[in-house]
Amino acid sequence: MNIKIKRFNSEQDIDEIVDYDIKDNKTILESLIEVKIKYDESLAFRCGCRTGICGSCSLRVNGVEKLACKSKLNENDLIEPIKNTKVIKDLIVDLEHESKLLKKSNTFLNKLEETTISKEDEKLIDTQSNCILCQSCFSSCPIYEVNDKFLGPYALTRALRYVDDKKESHKVQTLEKIQDNGVWDCTLCGNCTMVCPQFIDPKTDIMNLRMKSVQNGFEDRSMQYMTGAGFAGGFDTGFDPTGGFNPNGF
Amino acid sequence: MIDVLIIGSGGAGLTAALNAKKNGSEVLVVSKTYPTHSQTCQAQGGINAVLNETNDDNNQNYINDTYKASHNLGNQKNIKYLCENSKNTLMWLDSIGVPFSRNKNYGIAQRKFGGTKAKRTCYSSDYTGLKILHTLYDQCIKEEIEFLNEHYLLDLIVEENCVKGTIVLNMQTSELIQIAAKTVILATGGYAGLYHQFTTNSFVSTGDGIAAAFRAGAKLSNMEFIQFHPTTLENKNILISESARGEGGYLVDKDGNRFIDELKPRDEVARAIFKKNHDGEKVYLDLRHLGIEKIQEAMPQERRLVIDFLNLKMEEDLIPINPSAHYTMGGIETDIDAKTSIKNLYACGECSQSGIHGANRLGGNSLLEIITFGQVAGKNASDSAKEIDDLSISDIQYKKNEKQIEEIFEKETNLDYLKIKKEIGKLFFVNVGLFREEKKLIKALDYINKKKEEISKIGIKNKDKIYNKNLIELLELKNLITLCEPILLCAIERKESRGAHYRVDFKDKSLEYEKNSVCLLKDGKIKNYFEDVL
């Protein structure tokens, strides 16, 4: 089998796609390990648990975000690092933005509400709290091309996880933090939802956060953005007829 | 100046950081990964606690079960502290936002694990470790705890048996940094990664903190006790948590017959499965009778793993399994205050031998241990730091590490360190696994002595300074090899069978060995002996 890997090495001034001939492995991670052992031990990539739970091995396969440990390799697959952050070496990218985005989005329990929690209450935040912070959604998000301050899908999903947590008594504090560069800046293209290995739906989470924002007295800025994009109103497609950003590819 | 330096960012390290900060200390967490990449995220099944003392369960039962599972090697005082405090520990986790699964009565749901008669294990479906770890991380962000991610611990700075900081390597630049700190907490995880390709552990569990503590003269204890998890996906070593059996799953042989009480302690269940595997028989986990609804609710992650890695469905198929190295009971010896034998050096979590698990750990006790003793270590290290005004450090350790790294970069090598890692994994699984005997242990020791010599001479082919993973992998392998000797020496000396340590040449327990094994480095030589259990 052939695997193509995007290599980057600032020290050796290498930025190229390299082909390697490997056997038919079960997973992409196994293929990367084979390349490392057989051809070039310097190939750099992160990996940890091998079971899709630590989130360290996210990368792009033919342009789509995947976890290397859980994804099968197909002939001629192109493996690249995730997007929207600096590549350090080969498939390793800088992840220092993670804690900053979470901090800005106020994604933690602010103040405990002494209350009883039912099975249903806990179920309400179950999916969102399954997030492994693998950065797949972050990489797939087209907004960063126009706004590098965008809080992004995983931070917003995590914000909803705390806003929906019955234990949280200061929900508005979190909602307040996600108004600027947050819920209203998303174009609802759904790329994040498509790539989440944990089957989380950040797009719907963001729509929920918009609704909760309005319910809590924050300004509905969706119309404002639509007008800016040349629409008189109606539905949000993310389509920009002036030739700018177009996440849906039409 | 840093008051409390924490090495390791799993559940134990993050808990220690939160507690030290709460106690008013300047805190820094150094991690070789990112916090949420830590091994803690792999804990699926749950965390033990007696939430209400009733006719069904009470603290004394919990203490008794833990002590019994330890095969009399647990420290009764420490176990008492862990168990009696378990409700408080759970309530703290619940209060910071861990989304524990609930029962019909609005309480935290509990299920039954092996080695106990009571439903005592609290859980968040089968993502318990993940949800605890991420909640702790969120709190660390809230409390503005400082992190140095992807910095690798080289050595501790210890002068006159007192720790004064560490030397770490910035993995992204290969630069060395000396970090001075009034107190240091090691929370670096266990060493089951030694069983490479025969372990449930992450690639990053390589016992670095234990090896560094050992080099610095700290006492290691009970290193021979290595727990094998009975149920991991066949040939994949991917964990299927005890929750599968706790929820009523069966273990069956090729004819569909159950052959052991599934809820016996892990050492017994794992040995029974291994024996069948060794005789060429397959063993399966049978969950079909639980039904899809129960499976989806209680073990969604495990169901997914079985689909992804074996292309089977839990609700329809038998799941082929085998045991894998899972957890290491041994580590840096600590007391009830999380203190090690080196002044101002604390340890918590799997890297410590805190007198809880003895010869065998009960499922659900490791998450409780990391939080309980993470809190203890954080508070006590912080208190100790308050008593220190001044910190003077020589650069001897820094220069030693600088020379070590320079040499690795300079040396050429024909030796394939990845191959050596694989060889050691297999050697340990076969010779230092579920069934042990003197001649096999000695064979393994001979191999390790040879490799120790060889590996001291090798460098790396890749000379890049930016993110040189090969450098880290070689250092990790050296650490694992450092730990092989204490493990093997203690395993050879313990001429009995107790818990996870089963000797085919000494099949019974012996009162003579109702003691903790100790290994320490003195004047360049390893001393190993047994000491009384306190």
Side-chain angles (χ1 to χ4, degrees), chain A residues 9-12 26-27 29-30 33 36-37 41-42 44-51 53-56 69-70 88-89 92 94-96 98-99 102-103 107-112 116-119 122-123 125-126 129-133 158 161-162 165 167 198-199, chain B residues 34 36-37 41-42 94-104 106-107 125 127 130-131 134-135 137-139 141-142 144 149-150 172 199-204 236-238 297 301 304-305 308-309 416-418 460-470 473:
Chain A
N9 184 329
S10 58
E11 273 179 288
Q12 294 178 15
K26 287 279 182 284
T27 65
L29 179 57
E30 284 172 5
I33 292 170
K36 191 176 157 95
I37 290 171
E41 66 172 11
S42 77
F45 53 90
R46 287 193 184 98
C47 59
C49 70
R50 305 164 288 120
T51 63
I53 195 76
C54 79
S56 68
C69 66
K70 280 178 86 172
I88 296 170
K89 184 178 175 183
I92 293 187
D94 189 358
L95 296 176
E96 287 301 317
E98 180 181 281
S99 56
L102 296 177
K103 173 84 185 160
T107 57
F108 35 75
L109 196 76
N110 294 294
K111 190 164 187 315
L112 180 68
T116 51
I117 310 286
S118 69
K119 277 177 99 149
E122 188 265 327
K123 274 272 159 264
I125 57 169
D126 183 53
S129 58
N130 285 346
C131 170
I132 58 173
L133 288 177
R158 192 164 285 229
R161 171 246 177 281
Y162 283 105
D165 195 337
K167 287 180 199 162
Q198 291 292 86
F199 307 102
Chain B
Y34 278 80
T36 56
H37 297 175
C41 71
Q42 284 181 258
D94 193 51
S95 75
I96 61 168
V98 175
F100 286 112
S101 295
R102 258 40 205 195
N103 59 30
K104 280 181 226 153
Y106 301 89
S125 67
Y127 284 113
L130 178 91
K131 296 199 185 194
H134 279 242
T135 308
Y137 181 51
D138 293 343
Q139 286 295 306
I141 289 171
K142 178 184 176 186
E144 299 186 329
N149 297 316
E150 301 205 316
Q172 292 186 9
T199 175
T200 59
N201 277 206
S202 162
F203 286 114
V204 297
K236 306 280 177 199
N237 306 304
I238 289 170
E297 188 198 328
Q301 180 189 178
R304 195 74 238 163
L305 288 170
D308 287 342
F309 289 93
D416 183 347
Y417 68 89
L418 291 170
I460 40 173
K461 278 185 223 153
N462 172 21
K463 307 295 181 192
D464 293 342
K465 297 282 183 193
I466 295 178
Y467 217 102
N468 192 324
K469 197 87 186 281
N470 307 104
E473 284 163 343

Side-chain angles (χ1 to χ4, degrees), chain B residues 466-518:
Chain B
I466 295 178
Y467 217 102
N468 192 324
K469 197 87 186 281
N470 307 104
L471 172 62
I472 301 301
E473 284 163 343
L474 179 59
L475 292 167
E476 286 176 336
L477 180 61
K478 284 185 172 194
N479 279 338
L480 285 174
I481 290 179
T482 300
L483 297 181
C484 287
E485 229 177 329
I487 296 167
L488 288 164
L489 290 173
C490 293
I492 291 167
E493 287 307 315
R494 189 177 285 283
K495 298 179 198 307
E496 63 158 355
S497 291
R498 187 182 291 271
H501 175 73
Y502 190 89
R503 290 275 302 253
V504 294
D505 43 357
F506 298 97
K507 289 181 179 168
D508 297 317
K509 246 184 224 174
S510 157
L511 254 185
E512 194 189 334
Y513 291 101
E514 199 166 288
K515 291 179 175 189
N516 290 321
S517 62
V518 174

